[in-house]
């Protein structure tokens, strides 16, 4: 049986996202599940599911067994580290850095986690699922490459590229080939470069 879930077990936190065939995205952490130990039938965005709450005193686990499998295009699982992730009985606080993304179900679907969020490619369309894609600008000045804009979400990666923060210009400065740096920012870090 096809299923989607969210929760935290043994220190691992995850959220599944269900993509319906009619283009809707269901964040399983936002679905209203029954109380602990209970189950109920529900229709969520046109998809019939059996919702089960397996919460215990130490862990959270909420599972939706999907009855209308033909209405599901894909299921993406996003994992987070507990240290930077908020989870409560009411759901999950997005905005934390994902540690990994996986396609649980769906042919020809891709999912990729970055330090700032998750990008899913489904039917050739790119969707930012969790987080907000940073936008940065590159310019060459005096033989140095200046990276400015929304750099906070990728500051650790910029440091690993040997960039240094220039507080006066409020930008990162580094050496290298501008096209190689542009390629790394786009392909490896998922950043939009102007």
């Amino acid at each position: 049986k096809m299923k989607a879930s969210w929760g935290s077990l043994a220190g691992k936190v995850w959220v599944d996202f269900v993509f319906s065939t009619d283009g809707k995205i269901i964040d399983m952490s936002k679905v209203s599940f029954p109380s602990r130990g209970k189950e109920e039938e529900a229709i969520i965005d046109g998809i019939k599911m059996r919702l089960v709450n397996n919460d215990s005193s130490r862990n959270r686990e909420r599972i939706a067994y999907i009855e209308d499998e033909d209405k599901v295009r894909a299921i993406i699982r996003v994992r987070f580290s507990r240290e930077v992730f908020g989870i409560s009985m009411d759901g999950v606080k997005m905005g934390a850095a994902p540690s990994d993304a996986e396609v649980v179900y769906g042919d020809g679907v891709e999912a990729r986690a970055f330090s700032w969020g998750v990008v899913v490619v489904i039917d050739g369309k790119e969707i930012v699922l969790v987080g907000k894609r940073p936008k940065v600008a590159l310019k060459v000045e005096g033989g140095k490459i200046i990276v400015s804009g929304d750099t906070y979400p990728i500051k650790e990666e910029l440091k690993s590229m040997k960039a240094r923060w220039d507080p006066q210009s409020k930008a990162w400065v580094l050496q290298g080939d501008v096209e190689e740096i542009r390629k790394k920012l786009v392909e490896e870090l998922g950043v939009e470069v102007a």
Side-chain angles (χ1 to χ4, degrees):
K1 195 81 169 154
M2 184 183 289
K3 65 181 181 176
S5 62
W6 76 269
S8 66
L9 291 170
K12 296 177 181 172
V13 179
W14 78 94
V15 178
D16 287 350
F17 293 83
V18 177
F19 288 72
S20 70
T21 54
D22 64 359
K24 295 178 182 158
I25 302 171
I26 303 168
D27 173 345
M28 294 309 298
S29 75
K30 304 294 186 235
V31 171
S32 179
F33 279 80
S35 57
R36 182 167 44 176
K38 304 283 185 188
E39 64 180 75
E40 65 186 36
E41 297 286 325
I43 297 176
I44 311 294
D45 285 337
I47 301 174
K48 186 176 178 184
M49 301 181 187
R50 185 168 50 88
L51 306 175
V52 179
N53 183 331
N54 286 335
D55 288 357
S56 69
S57 59
R58 299 183 71 185
N59 297 309
R60 305 277 180 262
E61 184 182 36
R62 300 186 183 179
I63 303 170
Y65 294 95
I66 298 169
E67 304 290 330
D68 293 333
E69 294 182 13
D70 60 321
K71 293 182 179 179
V72 175
R73 173 64 182 92
I75 300 173
I76 306 298
R77 175 162 295 159
V78 179
R79 293 181 189 86
F80 300 85
S81 64
R82 181 176 283 249
E83 295 79 38
V84 295
F85 194 88
I87 188 165
S88 70
M89 293 298 280
D90 299 322
V92 188
K93 291 181 189 171
M94 295 300 163
S99 57
D100 148 14
E102 166 191 7
V103 178
V104 176
Y105 171 81
D107 291 333
V109 178
E110 298 173 38
R112 188 158 176 216
F114 298 98
S115 61
W116 55 265
V118 173
V119 173
V120 174
V121 179
I122 185 166
D123 299 327
K125 181 180 174 189
E126 193 173 88
I127 300 164
V128 175
L129 186 59
V130 176
K132 181 181 174 216
R133 184 186 302 272
K135 295 179 184 179
V136 301
L138 286 181
K139 69 179 177 178
V140 179
E141 221 173 72
K144 296 177 182 170
I145 300 166
I146 312 297
V147 182
S148 61
D150 187 12
T151 60
Y152 186 79
I154 58 166
K155 71 178 185 169
E156 295 305 318
E157 290 86 348
L158 288 167
K159 288 178 189 178
S160 73
M161 294 167 65
K162 308 250 189 289
R164 66 173 174 76
W165 176 250
D166 178 12
Q168 187 175 358
S169 63
K170 296 186 177 177
W172 292 89
V173 180
L174 65 156
Q175 302 285 332
D177 177 86
V178 71
E179 289 311 312
E180 285 181 25
I181 291 168
R182 178 185 308 277
K183 184 177 179 179
K184 181 173 179 102
L185 289 169
V186 171
E187 293 179 10
E188 294 179 31
L189 304 181
V191 175
E192 183 178 323
V193 178

